[in-house]
Amino acid sequence: MKRRSLRSTTITPVTALFLAGVLTACAISPEPEADPALFSLSADAHADAAELSGSDPRGAEVRERHAEALDAEIRRLCGVLEDGTVPDSCTVPTATGATVPTGTGSADVLPESAEQIAREAASAPRESVLKLARMHGELAVLTGTTPEPESSTVGDLVGEAEFEPDPADLEAALKALEWQYSAIYGLEVAQSWADTEVAASIGRSVEGHRELATQLRELLSGIPESRLPLPAAGYGMPEDRAPADAGSALATAVRIETDSVLMWQADAATAEQPAWRVWCILAGSTAALRSVPVLAAAGTDPAAEGLFDLG
């Protein structure tokens, strides 16, 4: 009988442990599943699209687009197999055939959906938050309403009574407060050059920024006053962007209002803590809704300015 070589058949203890570890890992490694927050929001978007399809085509189109973006985000986070397909375990909601009586519109359905977006955003993957912030802003403009970013509202949504920021969130909040003051200054300069009707719209924007600054200072009430920025006597403005007539005044106001929305959306996407993340989402949607009259005066709107892009 031919004797087998021990060298070719014997497995060392270290090798045996390594193989056992690999086999065990393969056996117990969980299959990727849809993120629960995104799955819930996708299901809600699909339901909204179905409910509004017979009575509010615009609202249905917006929510169908949201559902498609959420489904794509779920699949992206799950990853793909070697053959390029998404794992079967990573399911997405299916469209529902439910409808509601004619006459039901976005205002009847979407405020609750916006609240769910803000609530689920607190636990959603950080890399998905920018899309959620933009969806929330689009619903605010579509329905003409959104909750103000007040501490009590945010606390109800995320279940946290107080804002206790980490260093990164605190730095972002302080910069956001300083931005409000600079925006107020820039808008007031633009207002002084604007036509009467546009000046009135800009004036309402100024008041909105002042309210937001007050709410932000309230959020930061636990921070020593010495750390909070105060309005400066003036702020620099590039010479080629400084208002010099009614047209350039309107352009300045449009730029400030769109930059404000984009800033809040970006802050939401980089927020470390749920309370600050949701606060930024509500602030961004408030800013988007406030921007509508000024943008309309310039013949544009938040969607055309890319404030709701989901790509």
Side-chain angles (χ1 to χ4, degrees):
M1 179 181 292
K2 186 175 180 180
R3 179 175 293 180
R4 294 178 182 272
S5 168
L6 290 176
R7 186 173 183 178
S8 64
T9 60
T10 302
I11 299 177
T12 65
V14 173
T15 305
L17 288 173
F18 175 75
L19 290 175
V22 170
L23 293 174
T24 302
C26 290
I28 67 173
S29 178
E31 294 182 319
E33 296 181 349
D35 176 82
L38 298 182
F39 187 94
S40 174
L41 293 176
S42 173
D44 188 59
H46 280 293
D48 286 349
E51 290 176 355
L52 295 173
S53 61
S55 58
D56 189 341
R58 171 59 178 155
E61 183 276 326
V62 167
R63 292 303 276 157
E64 181 62 33
R65 181 160 44 80
H66 290 179
E68 291 173 357
L70 287 163
D71 290 348
E73 186 71 359
I74 288 170
R75 295 187 181 100
R76 185 186 70 81
L77 291 172
C78 281
V80 296
L81 301 174
E82 291 182 356
D83 62 0
T85 61
V86 177
D88 292 338
S89 59
C90 189
T91 58
V92 297
T94 56
T96 173
T99 57
V100 293
T102 302
T104 299
S106 294
D108 303 303
V109 176
L110 299 186
E112 185 175 343
S113 297
E115 180 179 325
Q116 184 179 355
I117 290 174
R119 192 183 306 278
E120 296 289 357
S123 60
R126 183 173 175 178
E127 58 199 286
S128 306
V129 172
L130 180 60
K131 286 183 172 64
L132 301 186
R134 291 183 170 180
M135 290 178 190
H136 192 278
E138 188 164 22
L139 296 189
V141 171
L142 190 61
T143 60
T145 183
T146 187
E148 294 283 336
E150 297 174 342
S151 298
S152 59
T153 302
V154 174
D156 290 341
L157 289 170
V158 302
E160 294 181 6
E162 296 182 4
F163 175 56
E164 298 179 355
D166 68 357
D169 287 348
L170 176 58
E171 183 66 21
L174 294 173
K175 287 183 177 179
L177 180 56
E178 188 168 10
W179 159 260
Q180 296 307 312
Y181 294 141
S182 67
I184 290 169
Y185 175 84
L187 287 170
E188 287 180 334
V189 172
Q191 186 180 21
S192 68
W193 286 91
D195 293 336
T196 303
E197 186 174 346
V198 173
S201 294
I202 295 176
R204 288 189 288 272
S205 290
V206 169
E207 290 306 311
H209 281 281
R210 286 187 177 136
E211 290 175 9
L212 202 52
T214 299
Q215 291 162 342
L216 193 47
R217 289 187 73 91
E218 177 190 339
L219 182 71
L220 296 169
S221 59
I223 307 302
E225 282 286 331
S226 60
R227 294 201 60 186
L228 301 183
L230 295 172
Y235 294 86
M237 188 177 295
E239 187 174 343
D240 61 338
R241 292 192 173 189
D245 53 33
S248 58
L250 178 55
T252 295
V254 167
R255 185 166 52 250
I256 291 172
E257 291 297 79
T258 54
D259 284 352
S260 180
V261 178
L262 293 171
M263 179 203 71
W264 285 119
Q265 292 174 346
D267 280 353
T270 57
E272 297 287 346
Q273 295 187 321
W276 176 237
R277 176 184 292 182
V278 173
W279 207 99
C280 291
I281 289 175
L282 297 185
S285 296
T286 299
L289 187 56
R290 184 185 59 231
S291 74
V292 171
V294 170
L295 268 59
T300 186
D301 58 62
E305 293 299 311
L307 302 184
F308 306 143
D309 286 355
L310 302 177

